Amino acid sequence: MSETKKTNIILFSGDYDKAMAAYIIANGAAAYDHEVTIFHTFWGLNALRKDEPVPLKKGLLEKLFAKMMPRGANKLGLSKMNFAGFGPKMIKEVIKKHNAVPLPQLIEMAQEQEIKLVACMMTMDLLGLQKEELLEGIEFAGVAAYLADAEDGRVNMFI
Amino acid sequence: MSETKKTNIILFSGDYDKAMAAYIIANGAAAYDHEVTIFHTFWGLNALRKDEPVPLKKGLLEKLFAKMMPRGANKLGLSKMNFAGFGPKMIKEVIKKHNAVPLPQLIEMAQEQEIKLVACMMTMDLLGLQKEELLEGIEFAGVAAYLADAEDGRVNMFI
Amino acid sequence: MSETKKTNIILFSGDYDKAMAAYIIANGAAAYDHEVTIFHTFWGLNALRKDEPVPLKKGLLEKLFAKMMPRGANKLGLSKMNFAGFGPKMIKEVIKKHNAVPLPQLIEMAQEQEIKLVACMMTMDLLGLQKEELLEGIEFAGVAAYLADAEDGRVNMFI
C-alpha cells in the first residue's frame, strides 16, 4: 500500500562503468520515491575517495593499497576496453557529447536526493582506508546493517 | 496467489559466459511461467548486435566503439581464461560435446518464449549503437521502465 | 510473519574477493536466521574444489580446464590488482593482520551454519568437474532448483 519501497545496491566493483550503472539505477529509484542505499565494499570504496591525498599514518601494506587504488570516482578504470586509461577517456568524451552525467556528478545527485551512501567498515579496514579519506556525508556500517535494509528491499543487487 | 511472478535481469556484462548464465536463468524462469525481462545495458548490448555490419552514418568515436566491440552473441569473449579468443573456442567445444545450448540459440529460445529483450537507450547512445544494428524484436527503453518492472520482481539480478 | 526469510546467492565468479563477499553476506544472513543457499556455477565452482588433485578419467579438454582453473578456495585470484598472484598474497596478509576470516574458513563456517552449498550440474559438466573433486557435503542441482529457492527469496544476488 503506502509502504516505502526500498532499493539496496552493493557496489563491490571499482569500475567507472559499473559504478555509473549503480548510481543511475539508484538515482532513478530515488526519483520514484524509493528509499535507496548504496553499500560500498571492496573496490567500490574507491568511488568514495576524495581526489586529493589526505596525510594519514599508515602501515606499509596500507600505503601500497592506497597508492595502487584509484583515488576517487573520476579516476576509476573501465571493466572492459580500459586500454591503460584510454577507454575511460573515450567514455567521458561520449558522456559529454551526449549530455549524459559523469560519475562524480551522479554521486553528488545521489547525495542531494538523500540516497544513503554507506562504506563497509570491514573492507575499509582491509584496504587500509580511513574515514578522513572518504567524501563527507558517508555512513559507516557492516554487513548486518546491509542485511537489515536488504531483507525488505524490492530491488536488491550486487554490482 | 495467481499473481504472475516476474524475473528481471540487467545484463551489463558483454562476456559470453555471463550472458549465457543470464539467458539460462531467463529461459528457466520463463519455463516456470515467470514474466521475464532482460534489460541490456553497456557491454551487454553487444549480445544483441547483428553479426554482419550494418552501413550507418557514425561519428569517429562511435565508429571506434563499433569496431572494438564484439559484433553479436557469437563473438563475445570470456570473463575468465579468454586467452585471446582461445577460451571461447574451448567453451563452445564443450557446449557442443555436452549438448548444451550455445548463446545465439539461447537468445532465439528467449524470443520464442516471449521473454522481453530490452536495450537501454541511454547506453546505446553512449556507445553509438543504432536500432538497425540490433536484432529484430528488441524493445527500447530506459532505467524508469526497468525499475517499473523490477519493483514487483521476485528474482532481480545484475549480471 | 513467522515465515522464514531466504537469501539466495548465485556465485558465478571465481575470484577470491568476490567469493569472500558472497560468503560474508551468506554467513551474515544465516546468523540472522535466513535460510541461505549459495548456488555455485561456472568459475564459482572452483571455490568448492578440494585442494589436492583427485585422480579421475577425463577427456583432453576437461584435463585442460582442470589444470588451468584454480584448485580450491585458497588458490583463487583477485578480480582487481591480481598482479600474477601478488594481489591475493597482499589480501591474505591484511586479512590476517586485521583478524578477518580467510575464504576457506568462511566456507567451513557456512557449512557449520547449514548454509546449503549447491554445485550447478550443467556447468560442472561443461568444465569437466566431477563430484569427487568437490568438497564433502555439497548438493548437486540445476537452474530449476535455484529458481524454486529464489522466487521466495528476500535477498537474491548474482556475484
Side-chain angles (χ1 to χ4, degrees):
Chain A
M1 316 304 137
S2 70
E3 157 221 17
T4 312
K5 293 167 185 172
K6 288 185 182 178
T7 290
N8 301 285
I9 296 171
I10 297 186
L11 182 57
F12 171 96
S13 161
D15 300 316
Y16 194 94
D17 45 347
K18 287 197 171 175
M20 210 177 142
Y23 273 89
I24 289 171
I25 296 166
N27 279 313
Y32 287 94
D33 290 323
H34 283 220
E35 214 177 291
V36 184
T37 300
I38 309 180
F39 185 85
H40 300 72
T41 187
F42 282 92
W43 321 107
L45 290 167
N46 291 319
L48 298 180
R49 289 174 84 186
K50 291 178 185 155
D51 52 13
E52 76 286 4
V54 180
L56 288 166
K57 261 201 139 135
K58 292 200 177 191
L60 182 65
L61 272 171
E62 287 77 6
K63 266 186 208 160
L64 252 172
F65 271 118
K67 254 230 155 110
M68 294 188 310
M69 296 190 306
R71 193 175 273 121
N74 199 38
K75 307 263 183 44
L76 304 181
L78 287 187
S79 68
K80 283 274 159 205
M81 309 206 305
N82 193 50
F83 301 130
F86 182 62
K89 284 214 186 87
M90 277 178 69
I91 284 284
K92 286 170 199 171
E93 204 55 55
V94 290
I95 286 173
K96 212 195 290 175
K97 186 175 163 185
H98 294 282
N99 298 312
V101 186
L103 183 56
Q105 278 69 57
L106 285 170
I107 297 176
E108 276 177 38
M109 270 174 64
Q111 293 196 301
E112 282 159 22
Q113 291 206 81
E114 297 185 356
I115 290 175
K116 199 162 76 180
L117 303 184
V118 185
C120 169
M121 289 190 302
M122 193 207 85
T123 47
M124 281 178 67
D125 223 38
L126 285 186
L127 302 178
L129 293 172
Q130 298 178 30
K131 293 183 183 185
E132 292 81 355
E133 295 174 83
L134 303 189
L135 302 178
E136 309 300 322
I138 305 302
E139 297 181 27
F140 301 92
V143 71
Y146 164 72
L147 284 165
D149 285 333
E151 72 177 30
D152 299 319
R154 300 289 280 263
V155 182
N156 290 323
M157 44 187 61
F158 184 97
I159 297 185
Chain B
M1 318 306 135
S2 70
E3 159 221 14
T4 312
K5 292 167 185 171
K6 287 185 182 178
T7 289
N8 302 285
I9 296 171
I10 296 185
L11 183 57
F12 170 97
S13 160
D15 300 316
Y16 193 94
D17 44 348
K18 287 197 170 175
M20 211 178 142
Y23 273 89
I24 289 171
I25 296 165
N27 280 311
Y32 287 94
D33 292 322
H34 284 218
E35 213 177 290
V36 185
T37 301
I38 308 181
F39 185 85
H40 300 72
T41 187
F42 281 93
W43 322 107
L45 290 167
N46 290 319
L48 298 180
R49 287 175 84 186
K50 291 179 185 155
D51 50 13
E52 77 284 4
V54 178
L56 288 166
K57 262 201 138 137
K58 291 199 178 193
L60 182 65
L61 272 171
E62 287 75 8
K63 266 186 207 158
L64 252 172
F65 271 117
K67 255 231 154 102
M68 295 187 310
M69 297 190 305
R71 193 175 273 120
N74 199 39
K75 306 262 182 47
L76 304 181
L78 286 186
S79 69
K80 283 273 158 204
M81 309 208 306
N82 193 50
F83 301 131
F86 182 62
K89 284 213 184 84
M90 277 179 69
I91 284 284
K92 287 171 198 170
E93 203 56 54
V94 290
I95 286 173
K96 211 195 288 174
K97 186 174 165 188
H98 293 282
N99 299 312
V101 186
L103 183 57
Q105 278 69 57
L106 285 171
I107 297 176
E108 276 177 37
M109 271 175 63
Q111 292 196 301
E112 282 158 22
Q113 291 206 81
E114 299 184 356
I115 290 174
K116 199 162 77 181
L117 303 183
V118 185
C120 169
M121 290 191 302
M122 191 207 86
T123 47
M124 282 179 66
D125 221 39
L126 285 186
L127 302 177
L129 293 172
Q130 299 178 28
K131 294 184 183 184
E132 293 82 354
E133 296 174 83
L134 303 189
L135 302 178
E136 309 298 321
I138 305 302
E139 297 181 27
F140 301 92
V143 71
Y146 164 73
L147 283 165
D149 285 333
E151 72 177 32
D152 298 319
R154 300 289 281 263
V155 182
N156 290 323
M157 45 187 59
F158 183 97
I159 296 186
Chain C
M1 317 306 135
S2 71
E3 155 222 18
T4 312
K5 291 167 186 171
K6 289 185 180 178
T7 289
N8 302 286
I9 296 170
I10 296 186
L11 183 56
F12 171 96
S13 161
D15 299 316
Y16 193 94
D17 45 347
K18 288 197 171 175
M20 211 177 141
Y23 273 89
I24 289 171
I25 296 166
N27 280 312
Y32 287 94
D33 291 322
H34 283 219
E35 215 177 289
V36 185
T37 301
I38 308 180
F39 185 85
H40 300 71
T41 186
F42 281 92
W43 322 107
L45 291 166
N46 291 319
L48 299 179
R49 288 174 84 186
K50 292 177 185 156
D51 51 13
E52 76 285 3
V54 179
L56 287 165
K57 262 201 138 138
K58 293 201 177 191
L60 182 65
L61 271 173
E62 286 76 6
K63 266 188 207 158
L64 252 173
F65 270 117
K67 255 231 155 106
M68 294 186 311
M69 296 190 305
R71 194 176 272 120
N74 199 38
K75 306 261 182 48
L76 304 181
L78 287 186
S79 68
K80 283 274 157 203
M81 309 207 306
N82 193 51
F83 301 131
F86 181 62
K89 284 213 184 87
M90 277 178 68
I91 284 284
K92 286 171 198 171
E93 205 54 54
V94 290
I95 287 173
K96 212 196 288 175
K97 187 175 164 187
H98 293 283
N99 297 311
V101 186
L103 183 57
Q105 278 68 57
L106 284 171
I107 297 177
E108 276 178 38
M109 272 174 63
Q111 292 196 301
E112 281 158 22
Q113 291 206 82
E114 299 185 354
I115 289 174
K116 199 162 79 179
L117 302 183
V118 184
C120 169
M121 291 190 301
M122 191 207 86
T123 46
M124 281 178 67
D125 222 39
L126 285 186
L127 302 177
L129 293 172
Q130 298 178 28
K131 293 183 182 185
E132 293 82 354
E133 295 174 83
L134 303 189
L135 301 178
E136 309 298 323
I138 305 302
E139 297 181 28
F140 301 93
V143 71
Y146 164 73
L147 284 165
D149 286 333
E151 72 177 32
D152 299 319
R154 300 288 280 263
V155 183
N156 290 323
M157 45 186 61
F158 183 98
I159 297 185

